[in-house]
C-alpha cells in the first residue's frame, strides 16, 4: 500500500475550460479555418465560450460510515480524477469534497466501508483504493485486474473485503490488514459479476446476463450452483442479500428467495410500474427491503410478495440503500440526491449538484430559445443560460457578462430532445420514462403532457408543427425491439397518438417538418443487438393533415439513418450505417443530386441557405455543398467533445452562427457567409 495523496478537507474545483456560470464571455483558442468562401477569401473562425453548459452530481458508488454518507462521481471530473463527497444524510449538509487522483478511466463504480475506511472501486482501473476520512488520504489497496477492470461490487465481512469484477467476472477475498488476496475464480459466463452477499457460513455471488448464482465456502470452494433457480432475463441478476440462511436475489422482473440448496424457492413478481429492483438491504430487525429502479418505490419482501412502504424520490435508479437502524433508511440516487427516512415515513431529500460536489457534464440536448436564452439539458437536470445577444461578428454585441444569472433545476429524466412552440413553451422528451413535459415561458414549473410508452425508450428527436399546434416525437424502442414510433402530441387537448405503423421493423432516429409534410428516418437495428430483420432502412414522408404515409423513400441501400434536414426543397440525410455517408435528395424528382462521406455520422442543420454537419467522430463542423456532385469544407476541426448524444445545431434567426458545445462548455460558433 503506497502512493498516498494528502487532500484538503474541502475544496471547490472549476472544470470545463470556461468560466463559472454567469461569468464573462471568454475567447477560446482557434479551432479551425474556413475553406475559401464565395468571395475566395478565408477567415479564421473562433468559438466563443460562455460557461459550463450544465452541472451534474451523477453518482456511482456510495457508502455509509459514522453518520456520514459518502458518494463518488460517476464520471471523471478531470483525467483520472474521481470526486468524493461527504454529506449529512439527515440535513443534507455538505461536510467535505475531495478530488481523488486515482487514475480512473471512466469514473467511479462502487464503494463500501468498514469501521474506519472507505473502499473506492473505480471504473477502468487495475486497483481498488482505500480512503481514510480521518486523515483525508487515499492509497492503492489491492490489484483487481488489468487497466480496464471495473470494481463492480464490494462488501466487508469480518476481517475481509470481498470484491467482484468486470470484465473477468471474478470474485476476490482480500484481508483488510495484510492485503492477501484469495481468488475464487470466475463466477459465470457473463463479463459482469454484479452482486454479492456474505454471512458467517458462505459467500454468494451473481452475474448479469447470462445470469448465474453461486454459493462458496469462505475458503473459496464452490458448494452450490443455483443458476437454474433464476428467472431467465436479458439483464440477469442485479442485487443479492442473505438473512438467516435464506438468499434473496433480484433476477430480471422477479425477487426470488431460496435456501443454499435451492429449496424453499419463492418467486415474487416486481410490480409493473417498477422496471427492476436495484438494491436489497436487511434491517437490524430482519426486514428484507427492496428498492426499485425508476420509481424509487421500496418494499418489504414478505413471505409471498412485496409490500410497498414508501417512495423517497421518483423516476431514478439508486446507488445506495442503507438500513442504519431499526426504523431508519438512508439512500443515494444515481443523480446525486442524498435522502433519509423512517420506514414508511416522508423522506428528506437533498440534491448535491448545486454543492461543491457538482461537476460539468456532457449535454443531452440544447435549445436556442427566441427569448435570448439557451437551454442545456443534463442528466436529470436543466440549465437555462442568458447570454448576450449574438451578432454576425465574433461573439456577442457586448462582451460584458450577462446580468441575468443562469438557472439550474431538476427534471425527471434525461431530455433527449427539446423544441420550442409558438408561444415560447419548451417541450422536452425524457429518457427513460418517455414522458413528454412542457415548461411555460418564464417558468421552471413542469407540466406533464403524457407518456409515450408503447414499448418505446428514447425520444431522440422532436419537431414542432405550427399549422396544427402539435409536437411530433420520434422514438427508438426498448432493447431487442425493432419498431420505433412517431407520436403526435396535441398541445391544446393533451391527446397522444402513438404510431408504430409508419416504418414497421425500424427504429426512428430523426424527424424534420417541411410545410404539411414530415420526414422520418429509419434504422433497421434494435437497441442492444447487432442483428436486423430488414435489409434496408428507409425514409417515410407523412402527410400531417391525414397522418398517412405518402411516400417511402429508399435513395441508397443504407442500414441506418442518423439525421435529416431540408434546405430549399432538398432533403439532406446523414447515415449511421454506413458511418458518415450523406446525400442530398431533390424531393420533387426523388433523385440524389449530391453525396459524400464526412468520415463519421453526426447532426445536420440548415441555416440561411447552407447545410452543416457536426461530425461526432472527428469532432468537426463541416459545410456541405452540392458542387461537384457533393463536397464539404471543414469550418471547425478537432473540437473537444461535449455531447452525450449526437451533436445538434441551434442557430439564431438572421445570425450566421450556432450554439453548440466546446468540451463541457456552452459555446457560440460563428459561421461564414
Amino acid at each position: 500500500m503506497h502512493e498516498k495523496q494528502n487532500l484538503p478537507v474541502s475544496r471547490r474545483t472549476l472544470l470545463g475550460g470556461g468560466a463559472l456560470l454567469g461569468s464573462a464571455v471568454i475567447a477560446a483558442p482557434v479551432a479551425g479555418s474556413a475553406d475559401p468562401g464565395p468571395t475566395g477569401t478565408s477567415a479564421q473562425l473562433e468559438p466563443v465560450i460562455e460557461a459550463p453548459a450544465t452541472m451534474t452530481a451523477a453518482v456511482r458508488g456510495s457508502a455509509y460510515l459514522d453518520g456520514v454518507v459518502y458518494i463518488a462521481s460517476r464520471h471523471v471530473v478531470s483525467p483520472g480524477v474521481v470526486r468524493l463527497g461527504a454529506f449529512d444524510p439527515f440535513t443534507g449538509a455538505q461536510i467535505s469534497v475531495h478530488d481523488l487522483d486515482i487514475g480512473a478511466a471512466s469514473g467511479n463504480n462502487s464503494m463500501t466501508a468498514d469501521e474506519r475506511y472507505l473502499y473506492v472501486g473505480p471504473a477502468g482501473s487495475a486497483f481498488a483504493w482505500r480512503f481514510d476520512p480521518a486523515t483525508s488520504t487515499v492509497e492503492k489497496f489491492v490489484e483487481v485486474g488489468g487497466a480496464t477492470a471495473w470494481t463492480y461490487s464490494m462488501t466487508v465481512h469480518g476481517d475481509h473485503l470481498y470484491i467482484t469484477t468486470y470484465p473477468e467476472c471474478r470474485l476476490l477475498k482480500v484481508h483488510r490488514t495484510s492485503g492477501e488476496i484469495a481468488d475464487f475464480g470466475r463466477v459465470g459466463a457473463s463479463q459482469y459479476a454484479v452482486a454479492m452477499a456474505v454471512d458467517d457460513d458462505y459467500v454468494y455471488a451473481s452475474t448479469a446476463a447470462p445470469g448465474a448464482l453461486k454459493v462458496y465456502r469462505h475458503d473459496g470452494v464452490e458448494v452450490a450452483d443455483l443458476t437454474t433457480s433464476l428467472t431467465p432475463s436479458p439483464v440477469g441478476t442485479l442485487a443479492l442479500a442473505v438473512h438467516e440462511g435464506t438468499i434473496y436475489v433480484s433476477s430480471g422482473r422477479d425477487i426470488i428467495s431460496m435456501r443454499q440448496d435451492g429449496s424453499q424457492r419463492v418467486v415474487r413478481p416486481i410490480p409493473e410500474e417498477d422496471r427492476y429492483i436495484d438494491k436489497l438491504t436487511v434491517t437490524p430487525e430482519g426486514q428484507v427491503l427492496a428498492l426499485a429502479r425508476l420509481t424509487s418505490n421500496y418494499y418489504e419482501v414478505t413471505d409471498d410478495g412485496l409490500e410497498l412502504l414508501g417512495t423517497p424520490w421518483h423516476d431514478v435508479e439508486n446507488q445506495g440503500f442503507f438500513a442504519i437502524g431499526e426504523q431508519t433508511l438512508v439512500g443515494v440516487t444515481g443523480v446525486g440526491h442524498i435522502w433519509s427516512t423512517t420506514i414508511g415515513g416522508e423522506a428528506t431529500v437533498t440534491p448535491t449538484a448545486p454543492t461543491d460536489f457538482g461537476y460539468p457534464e456532457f449535454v443531452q440536448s440544447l435549445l436556442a430559445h427566441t427569448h435570448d436564452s439557451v437551454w442545456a439539458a443534463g442528466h436529470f437536470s436543466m440549465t437555462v443560460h442568458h447570454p448576450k445577444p449574438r451578432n454576425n461578428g465574433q461573439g456577442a454585441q457586448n462582451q460584458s457578462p450577462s446580468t441575468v444569472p443562469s438557472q439550474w433545476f431538476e427534471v425527471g429524466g434525461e431530455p433527449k430532445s427539446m423544441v420550442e412552440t409558438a408561444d415560447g413553451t419548451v417541450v422536452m422528451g425524457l429518457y427513460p420514462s418517455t414522458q413528454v413535459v412542457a415548461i411555460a415561458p418564464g417558468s421552471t414549473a413542469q407540466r406533464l403532457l403524457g407518456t409515450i410508452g408503447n414499448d418505446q425508450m428514447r425520444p431522440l428527436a422532436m419537431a414542432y408543427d405550427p399549422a396544427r399546434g402539435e409536437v411530433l416525437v420520434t422514438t427508438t424502442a426498448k432493447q431487442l425491439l425493432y419498431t420505433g414510433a412517431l407520436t403526435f402530441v396535441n398541445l391544446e387537448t393533451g391527446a397522444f397518438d402513438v404510431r408504430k405503423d409508419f416504418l414497421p421493423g425500424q427504429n426512428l432516429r430523426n424527424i424534420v417538418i417541411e410545410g404539411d409534410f414530415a420526414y422520418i428516418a429509419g434504422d433497421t437495428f434494435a437497441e442492444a443487438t447487432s442483428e436486423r430483420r430488414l435489409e434496408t432502412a428507409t425514409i417515410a414522408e407523412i402527410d400531417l393533415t391525414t397522418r398517412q404515409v405518402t411516400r417511402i423513400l429508399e435513395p441508397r441501400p443504407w442500414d441506418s439513418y442518423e439525421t435529416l434536414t431540408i434546405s430549399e426543397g432538398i432533403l439532406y440525410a446523414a447515415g449511421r450505417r454506413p458511418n458518415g455517408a450523406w446525400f442530398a435528395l431533390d424531393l420533387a424528382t426523388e433523385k440524389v443530386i449530391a453525396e459524400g462521406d464526412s468520415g463519421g455520422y453526426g447532426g445536420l442543420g440548415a441555416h440561411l441557405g447552407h447545410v452543416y454537419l457536426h461530425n461526432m467522430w472527428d469532432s468537426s463542423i463541416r459545410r456541405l455543398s452540392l458542387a461537384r456532385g457533393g463536397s464539404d469544407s471543414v469550418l471547425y476541426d478537432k473540437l473537444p467533445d461535449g455531447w452525450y448524444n449526437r451533436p445538434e445545431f441551434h442557430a439564431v434567426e438572421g445570425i450566421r452562427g450556432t450554439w453548440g458545445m466546446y468540451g463541457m462548455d456552452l459555446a457560440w460558433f460563428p459561421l461564414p457567409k
Side-chain angles (χ1 to χ4, degrees):
M1 295 178 285
H2 55 285
E3 298 185 19
K4 288 189 176 182
Q5 304 168 34
N6 293 302
L7 302 171
V9 173
S10 180
R11 72 177 189 176
R12 179 189 298 270
T13 305
L14 171 63
L15 300 168
L20 288 171
L21 298 180
S23 65
V25 177
I26 302 173
V30 174
S33 299
D35 284 353
T39 62
T41 61
S42 63
Q44 295 284 68
L45 295 176
E46 296 185 10
V48 179
I49 294 177
E50 287 288 331
T54 185
M55 304 292 283
T56 188
V59 166
R60 270 204 184 125
S62 63
Y64 179 84
L65 176 61
D66 291 338
V68 178
V69 166
Y70 293 85
I71 58 177
S73 61
R74 177 174 178 169
H75 309 291
V76 292
V77 296
S78 60
V81 175
V82 164
R83 182 160 292 175
L84 178 70
F87 293 85
D88 183 324
F90 306 106
T91 66
Q94 174 185 305
I95 297 171
S96 64
V97 174
H98 309 276
D99 282 349
L100 308 182
D101 188 1
I102 59 178
S106 301
N108 198 60
N109 195 60
S110 64
M111 279 204 302
T112 194
D114 59 18
E115 66 280 358
R116 175 180 174 183
Y117 295 105
L118 293 176
Y119 298 91
V120 180
S125 171
F127 300 95
W129 295 68
R130 189 163 73 176
F131 177 80
D132 186 350
T135 61
S136 296
T137 57
V138 66
E139 60 187 353
K140 288 179 181 176
F141 180 63
V142 63
E143 189 169 356
V144 299
T148 61
W150 288 34
T151 302
Y152 221 85
S153 67
M154 294 188 288
T155 193
V156 170
H157 186 83
D159 293 331
H160 293 90
L161 171 70
Y162 294 83
I163 298 172
T164 64
T165 71
Y166 160 89
E168 295 183 336
C169 197
R170 303 188 84 80
L171 172 61
L172 307 176
K173 174 184 176 182
V174 185
H175 196 280
R176 291 190 286 135
T177 302
S178 69
E180 181 182 357
I181 303 173
D183 188 346
F184 286 36
R186 195 174 189 97
V187 179
S190 172
Q191 291 184 301
Y192 299 84
V194 296
M196 92 183 93
V198 186
D199 62 18
D200 291 340
D201 299 313
Y202 300 106
V203 182
Y204 313 84
S206 67
T207 74
L213 175 60
K214 304 287 183 66
V215 184
Y216 302 87
R217 291 199 318 236
H218 282 267
D219 62 5
V221 174
E222 182 183 317
V223 297
D225 184 344
L226 302 177
T227 300
T228 58
S229 297
L230 299 175
T231 299
S233 166
V235 298
T237 72
L238 292 168
L240 274 178
V242 61
H243 177 59
E244 294 182 347
T246 297
I247 308 162
Y248 298 84
V249 57
S250 172
S251 177
R253 298 281 305 150
D254 298 317
I255 297 295
I256 303 172
S257 64
M258 69 194 86
R259 304 294 289 181
Q260 290 92 341
D261 60 1
S263 63
Q264 301 179 34
R265 180 175 180 267
V266 178
V267 178
R268 304 162 183 84
I270 297 169
E272 186 63 32
E273 65 175 330
D274 303 310
R275 189 172 179 185
Y276 299 112
I277 294 294
D278 278 331
K279 299 294 178 185
L280 293 166
T281 192
V282 182
T283 72
E285 287 191 333
Q287 283 181 288
V288 180
L289 304 180
L291 181 63
R293 188 183 300 187
L294 287 193
T295 60
S296 285
N297 291 334
Y298 67 94
Y299 300 87
E300 180 178 3
V301 182
T302 65
D303 290 342
D304 56 2
L306 300 175
E307 180 183 340
L308 180 64
L309 298 177
T311 307
W313 197 236
H314 51 81
D315 298 327
V316 294
E317 60 183 311
N318 281 261
Q319 293 293 323
F321 189 42
F322 310 103
I324 63 169
E326 293 182 355
Q327 289 294 317
T328 304
L329 299 174
V330 166
V332 175
T333 74
V335 294
H337 300 98
I338 306 296
W339 57 267
S340 61
T341 184
T342 57
I343 295 177
E346 185 174 348
T348 298
V349 184
T350 305
T352 60
T355 72
D356 290 351
F357 182 79
Y359 55 97
E361 65 169 327
F362 287 90
V363 77
Q364 296 284 331
S365 57
L366 284 179
L367 175 67
H369 199 278
T370 54
H371 293 176
D372 292 329
S373 62
V374 181
W375 295 54
H379 184 63
F380 286 73
S381 70
M382 184 70 67
T383 303
V384 181
H385 298 264
H386 302 276
K388 286 290 185 178
R390 303 293 105 188
N391 60 26
N392 273 320
Q394 293 273 333
Q397 293 176 2
N398 184 336
Q399 292 290 320
S400 62
S402 171
T403 58
V404 181
S406 299
Q407 299 163 281
W408 181 95
F409 57 94
E410 296 184 294
V411 295
E414 295 176 353
K416 296 293 187 184
S417 53
M418 293 188 285
V419 73
E420 181 184 356
T421 68
D423 66 354
T425 295
V426 174
V427 179
M428 63 187 72
L430 302 180
Y431 166 87
S433 66
T434 71
Q435 291 178 343
V436 179
V437 172
I439 301 178
S443 171
T444 60
Q446 298 156 53
R447 177 168 60 96
L448 177 62
L449 298 176
T451 301
I452 294 171
N454 286 274
D455 290 326
Q456 300 301 294
M457 185 166 68
R458 298 182 194 275
L460 286 182
M462 283 185 164
Y464 176 56
D465 176 12
R468 281 150 284 272
E470 294 181 330
V471 168
L472 280 63
V473 189
T474 54
T475 50
T476 58
K478 291 180 178 178
Q479 292 183 352
L480 308 180
L481 300 179
Y482 287 83
T483 300
L486 174 61
T487 300
F488 298 81
V489 180
N490 189 298
L491 299 175
E492 183 175 337
T493 66
F496 273 49
D497 183 11
V498 182
R499 298 287 295 273
K500 299 165 66 174
D501 57 325
F502 294 134
L503 288 178
Q506 298 182 60
N507 273 301
L508 305 186
R509 304 200 69 85
N510 202 227
I511 181 172
V512 62
I513 290 177
E514 180 79 351
D516 290 328
F517 294 91
Y519 299 84
I520 56 176
D523 182 352
T524 60
F525 284 82
E527 298 267 3
T529 180
S530 59
E531 299 178 355
R532 57 197 176 107
R533 296 175 179 173
L534 298 176
E535 287 297 319
T536 304
T538 55
I539 298 170
E541 179 188 73
I542 300 163
D543 186 319
L544 295 176
T545 302
T546 64
R547 296 186 184 175
Q548 298 297 314
V549 174
T550 50
R551 284 191 286 183
I552 296 292
L553 302 171
E554 192 178 314
R556 290 292 182 263
W558 289 0
D559 295 341
S560 308
Y561 288 88
E562 181 64 28
T563 48
L564 305 173
T565 195
I566 294 177
S567 178
E568 299 177 346
I570 307 300
L571 174 72
Y572 291 77
R576 185 178 181 88
R577 303 176 185 90
N579 183 4
W582 66 271
F583 64 71
L585 177 78
D586 187 327
L587 287 171
T589 65
E590 298 187 13
K591 301 294 185 183
V592 172
I593 59 175
E595 57 189 318
D597 190 339
S598 69
Y601 69 76
L604 286 168
H607 186 52
L608 296 178
H610 293 294
V611 174
Y612 305 92
L613 173 71
H614 191 150
N615 182 338
M616 65 183 298
W617 288 78
D618 68 2
S619 298
S620 65
I621 295 178
R622 301 162 182 256
R623 186 163 71 184
L624 305 184
S625 173
L626 304 179
R628 300 180 299 279
S631 60
D632 68 76
S633 55
V634 176
L635 306 179
Y636 293 89
D637 197 14
K638 297 181 175 59
L639 298 172
D641 186 28
W643 298 93
Y644 188 86
N645 306 298
R646 62 176 172 242
E648 302 171 353
F649 285 89
H650 291 280
V652 176
E653 185 176 359
I655 308 299
R656 293 191 181 277
T658 180
W659 287 104
M661 294 295 293
Y662 189 88
M664 302 296 180
D665 292 318
L666 177 67
W668 172 255
F669 293 88
L671 297 171
K673 293 183 179 179

